[in-house]
Amino acid sequence: MRPDHTRTGERAAGDVWVDAAATPDFTRLRSSLLRFVVPATVLFLAWFLCYLVLNAWYKDLLSLRPGGIPLVLLLAAGQFVSTFALTAAYNRYARRRLDPLAGRVRARLEGASS
């Protein structure tokens, strides 16, 4: 059974989160996050799936040696490079777009809990 906080003047923790989720800053934060994460995830998974399909069914193509290095090794290294590039891009995006919004949401929540 949930305690009744209305008698003591306190708000239930769930009410604070519901109110926070309804604020424009939180809505903007969530949409900004999804604006980066969804396309980045789709592109990375498509690139990875392409690598897997090539590896499974196009072995002749992957055995080519541009510059003396097998294409399969270049594509495998590309997976690592793209992972680090995506991580760096997300860090930059989060610093510039998400962190300021998250700070405002956090400040509002900390002000509401005191």
Side-chain angles (χ1 to χ4, degrees), residues 34-113:
L34 291 176
R35 198 173 302 125
F36 182 89
V37 170
V38 170
T41 302
V42 168
L43 284 173
F44 183 81
L45 289 177
W47 157 232
F48 184 67
L49 182 63
C50 179
Y51 173 72
L52 291 178
V53 166
L54 287 172
N55 213 353
W57 287 291
Y58 296 96
K59 296 205 184 278
D60 291 339
L61 175 67
L62 293 180
S63 65
L64 295 176
R65 294 177 165 270
I69 301 172
L71 184 60
V72 68
L73 289 179
L74 294 174
L75 292 176
Q79 290 292 316
F80 287 102
V81 170
S82 64
T83 299
F84 290 117
L86 186 59
T87 301
Y90 176 76
N91 281 331
R92 183 172 186 256
Y93 183 82
R95 256 192 325 274
R96 294 176 70 219
R97 301 263 169 90
L98 302 178
D99 290 350
L101 289 170
R104 287 200 296 264
V105 170
R106 184 183 311 113
R108 185 174 191 283
L109 283 172
E110 289 171 350
S113 65

Side-chain angles (χ1 to χ4, degrees), residues 11-23 108-110 112-113:
R11 295 179 66 196
D15 294 339
V16 174
W17 288 108
V18 170
D19 292 345
T23 63
R108 185 174 191 283
L109 283 172
E110 289 171 350
S113 65

